[in-house]
Amino acid sequence: MATFKEKFGYALGDAAAGGITWKVMSIAFPFFFTNVFGLTVADTAALMLLARMFDVVTDPIMGSIADRTQSRWGTYRPWLIFGAIPLGLVFALLLYTPEFGPVGKRIWAYGLYLLMMAVYTAVNVPYGSLLGVMTEDDDEKNQFSSYRMVGAYAMGFITLLSFPYLQKMVGGSDAHQYAVLGACLGGVAAVMTLACGFLTKERLKPVRAEKYSFRPFIDLFKNRPWIDLTLIGICTNFFNGFRYAVASYMFTYCLGGDITVMGLIINYTVFMTFGEVTCMIFGGLSPAFTKWAGSKKRAMNLSALICLVTSVAFFFIPMDAAYVWLMIVVVVLTSIGIGLYSPLLWSMYADVADYATEKNGTSSTGLIFSSGTMAQKFGSAISGSLVALFLGLAGFVSTTDAATGQTSITITDMASVQQMIWALFSIIPAVVAVIWMLLIRRYPLDK
């Protein structure tokens, strides 16, 4: 029987990865790279696309390596214990803006972003795989998954809500603010990841293959539940990725910047914080919701429907700061669906891992969970890249001065850019939700 300490420790892992490092990378990086660091829109889009191609290779390899790790700390925990400090350090360096020229900045950004993806993979793939070896009880897996999501969303709430106030406290230039906050948040993420590694337990021993082979990779593509769930995972992360990546542009170019209401500073991070706290609450309610729905598949479908309807509703809100509270209400309603499906997704990956073990006779838990982190990174970064690409097509142009390295923003068609931003936050995610509902109908496991 798993203890509260273990569940809390497991939650700390995604509080660090999902609530700090990935949350900041999803919501702040596109804006940071184009408006603070000094990359052009084209460079930013290319950077995120390149990173995704990199992850297509590294994630499954990391999953396979993790499955075969044997140490005094277990199979998956040592990757958290020894990867914690590199994760925090590289994250901090990525938010630092060196005083280089355009070429030097490109090298710095590309090199560190790819390194961040590699370190994140080395920590997060084994972290996800832990769910498959901490318990064999299906209800407990749902509980661990729920604790994970509550931890991620609770820390995401704290991170996003405090971000503008911490920036104001740090002062100085935008580049200085991001650098200081990167160092502080990176340190917190490292400590949380380390604590997760020491507080969790591995009760089950993976059934390892006798030797390394490509067989597990071949078996994956014969595993229909894995194929369907991976496509669903990509869609859910596309859904979130578009919204988070475009939120900063929405406040800057559609709503006129930060909004102060009754002393509360509402900027893009605070705006999304209302969704984070909702996700935290409904992530905790997800196991009960799943029981009420009758199965994970039906619960996932209902969650997608909530996301679809509320995303379409947001599109029809007037593009005016006076309606910010109505926008927040719709974001909260959308986040009910997100909070309900997020724990489900990881619990379903555990089901797929069990299915693969029964079918093939050997464990590929790490390899299967690696597709979950790959879907997460693929959806988030590709959506960020597409946001930059679509904004460029709409008339958002950034250029870098070769002598100073400073980036200037020019908008050739403000109305077109504003409509594109609004659609990227609402209609385009709604289309993604339709696709993901169709994929859920195909998914064959119905626990």
Side-chain angles (χ1 to χ4, degrees), residues 52 123 143 179 203 287 299 321 334 374 412 424:
R52 296 295 57 77
V123 171
Q143 291 171 27
R203 290 180 172 81
T334 305
M374 184 176 68
T412 59
L424 283 164

Short mmCIF file of all heavy atoms in Angstrom, two decimals, residues 52 123 143 179 203 287 299 321 334 374 412 424:
data_model
loop_
_atom_site.label_atom_id
_atom_site.label_comp_id
_atom_site.label_asym_id
_atom_site.label_seq_id
_atom_site.Cartn_x
_atom_site.Cartn_y
_atom_site.Cartn_z
N ARG A 52 12.25 19.45 -31.78
CA ARG A 52 11.30 18.35 -31.86
C ARG A 52 11.86 17.17 -32.63
O ARG A 52 11.62 16.02 -32.29
CB ARG A 52 9.99 18.80 -32.54
CG ARG A 52 9.25 19.85 -31.77
CD ARG A 52 8.71 19.43 -30.42
NE ARG A 52 9.64 18.91 -29.42
CZ ARG A 52 10.45 19.66 -28.73
NH1 ARG A 52 10.48 20.94 -28.90
NH2 ARG A 52 11.24 19.12 -27.83
N VAL A 123 15.36 13.06 -17.33
CA VAL A 123 14.69 13.09 -16.03
C VAL A 123 13.22 12.69 -16.16
O VAL A 123 12.71 11.88 -15.39
CB VAL A 123 14.81 14.49 -15.39
CG1 VAL A 123 13.91 14.60 -14.15
CG2 VAL A 123 16.25 14.79 -15.03
N GLN A 143 -4.58 7.32 -8.51
CA GLN A 143 -4.29 8.25 -7.42
C GLN A 143 -2.93 8.91 -7.61
O GLN A 143 -2.78 10.13 -7.45
CB GLN A 143 -4.35 7.53 -6.08
CG GLN A 143 -5.75 7.09 -5.66
CD GLN A 143 -5.73 6.20 -4.44
OE1 GLN A 143 -4.82 6.27 -3.62
NE2 GLN A 143 -6.74 5.33 -4.33
N ALA A 179 16.75 36.43 -16.25
CA ALA A 179 17.95 35.72 -15.81
C ALA A 179 17.88 35.38 -14.32
O ALA A 179 18.19 34.26 -13.91
CB ALA A 179 19.19 36.55 -16.11
N ARG A 203 8.36 -0.78 -6.27
CA ARG A 203 7.96 -2.07 -5.69
C ARG A 203 8.02 -3.22 -6.70
O ARG A 203 8.20 -4.37 -6.32
CB ARG A 203 6.54 -1.96 -5.14
CG ARG A 203 6.42 -1.08 -3.90
CD ARG A 203 4.98 -1.01 -3.40
NE ARG A 203 4.91 -0.33 -2.12
CZ ARG A 203 4.92 0.98 -1.98
NH1 ARG A 203 4.99 1.74 -3.05
NH2 ARG A 203 4.86 1.53 -0.79
N PRO A 287 -10.05 11.08 -10.56
CA PRO A 287 -10.40 9.67 -10.29
C PRO A 287 -11.89 9.46 -10.01
O PRO A 287 -12.49 8.50 -10.50
CB PRO A 287 -9.55 9.33 -9.05
CG PRO A 287 -8.39 10.27 -9.13
CD PRO A 287 -8.96 11.54 -9.67
N ALA A 299 -14.49 9.10 -19.87
CA ALA A 299 -14.11 10.31 -19.15
C ALA A 299 -13.25 11.22 -20.02
O ALA A 299 -13.42 12.44 -20.01
CB ALA A 299 -13.34 9.92 -17.87
N ALA A 321 -10.13 44.76 -23.41
CA ALA A 321 -9.70 44.53 -22.03
C ALA A 321 -10.85 44.63 -21.04
O ALA A 321 -10.79 44.06 -19.95
CB ALA A 321 -8.60 45.51 -21.65
N THR A 334 -12.71 26.03 -19.53
CA THR A 334 -11.85 25.17 -20.36
C THR A 334 -10.92 24.33 -19.50
O THR A 334 -10.69 23.14 -19.77
CB THR A 334 -11.01 26.04 -21.32
OG1 THR A 334 -11.87 26.87 -22.09
CG2 THR A 334 -10.18 25.17 -22.26
N MET A 374 7.43 12.59 -25.12
CA MET A 374 7.68 13.04 -26.48
C MET A 374 6.46 13.79 -27.01
O MET A 374 6.59 14.85 -27.65
CB MET A 374 8.00 11.86 -27.40
CG MET A 374 8.37 12.25 -28.83
SD MET A 374 8.85 10.82 -29.84
CE MET A 374 7.29 9.94 -29.97
N THR A 412 2.83 44.65 -40.00
CA THR A 412 2.37 45.22 -41.27
C THR A 412 0.85 45.28 -41.37
O THR A 412 0.30 46.09 -42.11
CB THR A 412 2.93 44.41 -42.46
OG1 THR A 412 2.48 43.05 -42.34
CG2 THR A 412 4.46 44.44 -42.46
N LEU A 424 -5.71 31.53 -32.62
CA LEU A 424 -4.74 30.59 -32.06
C LEU A 424 -5.06 30.25 -30.61
O LEU A 424 -4.67 29.19 -30.10
CB LEU A 424 -3.33 31.17 -32.16
CG LEU A 424 -2.68 31.12 -33.54
CD1 LEU A 424 -1.47 32.04 -33.61
CD2 LEU A 424 -2.26 29.70 -33.89
#
